[in-house]
Amino acid sequence: MPIGEATRYVMARTAGNPADALFSDDQDYLPPRLRVLIATNEPWGTYHVQPLLAEAERRGWRLTQVVPDKSRISPGDPVPTATPQTAPSADLLVVAGAGAWPVEVAGRFPRLPLAASGLAYLGPREAADARRLRPRLQAVTAASPGAAHAFAGHLGTQLTVIVVGSPRTDDLPKRVPEPGLVLVLTSVTRPDSTGEAAPGTALLLAAVEELRTAGKRIKVGLHPREDPTLWARYEISQVPSMNASARAEATIGIPGTVFPLIAAVGTPLVGCTDPALEVPDYLLTVCSSTIDDAALAVSAVDNARLPAPEALREGIGPVGGSAGRLFDVWSKAARGDVAEMA
């Protein structure tokens, strides 16, 4: 389904916004403990759900990520997981995309209200099985206007996409840059059963070596599924990349979900864009510049600056209170009170 001018984006809970009609302070009629199942395009990748746990605990909600099996779930993983066969009773199913696994899970729970929330970046090309989700969607959310456009394309929907911000920006670290420190943001070198990979690692490796030769201090923020041995010669960050970026003069990497988060911290970004890489526009708008040649890395990093405020708003979305806005939409979706706005 083409995404035309009919697709609308609503900024939730912002000053003077008509979207406030979506929300009500009278919660007496809502379930006291909403029970939510979540399925993502990365079947065993719980790292996109983990930032939601604090808000779930605050509200007394129960979140459970549905996974094919427990074989790739670490014993200490804080995200509750279950298979379709062992999943607890729920009030709502949330899919974070229209990949094969979320579509399968939706088919396993045909009677649950369904919402789609973009918890990670997805390109605007319509997913092959998105049509199987569209008739059931009660709500669609995304972090930013740019992400909303891409997510609408991924789902092939013309429903209103409610922009709620990213829960990971609800507690931003204070930026204290250290001279000469560059944070490198990796992607995933090889696809596996947990998710796809993005091309560009060879370009990024070459660019980082140019930076090291020029005297830059290198710290690497690994994607959760990246092969760490590729980066063994460099210092690996022991804290989340968003936190590590607060101490860097600039960041360089393969554009991904973390890019708008780091822009929200206030750290300039340089994108490594391999010719084979398809990147949604909103991830590029938060970059100071992009390079497709490693020889350009030093100059790009030395001259890295944050883009204009309007470009940042397009890519980042509202900052602060994002988890609350997301959960408010889910509350309405569980009751079927959102989709009629489309």
Side-chain angles (χ1 to χ4, degrees), residues 187-210:
S187 184
V188 184
T189 309
R190 292 180 296 273
D192 59 23
S193 56
T194 296
E196 294 300 316
T201 297
L203 171 62
L204 182 58
L205 281 164
V208 173
E209 191 57 24
E210 292 280 342

Side-chain angles (χ1 to χ4, degrees), residues 14-107:
T14 54
N17 197 305
D20 286 341
L22 274 173
F23 306 96
S24 170
D25 293 328
D26 180 8
Q27 299 285 315
D28 293 341
Y29 50 79
L30 295 175
R33 289 186 71 249
L34 204 67
R35 303 162 299 177
V36 182
L37 301 181
I38 303 174
T40 76
N41 276 6
E42 298 171 279
W44 290 271
T46 60
Y47 40 86
H48 295 307
V49 176
Q50 187 170 346
L52 306 177
L53 296 182
E55 182 68 13
E57 181 176 4
R58 188 184 74 81
R59 296 192 180 209
W61 286 21
R62 185 184 68 202
L63 304 185
T64 305
Q65 182 163 341
V66 183
V67 297
D69 55 56
K70 296 295 191 85
S71 64
R72 294 170 177 81
I73 303 299
S74 300
D77 195 315
V79 177
T81 56
T83 66
Q85 294 81 9
T86 63
S89 299
D91 306 295
L92 178 71
L93 171 62
V94 175
V95 292
W101 178 243
V103 170
E104 179 178 336
V105 173

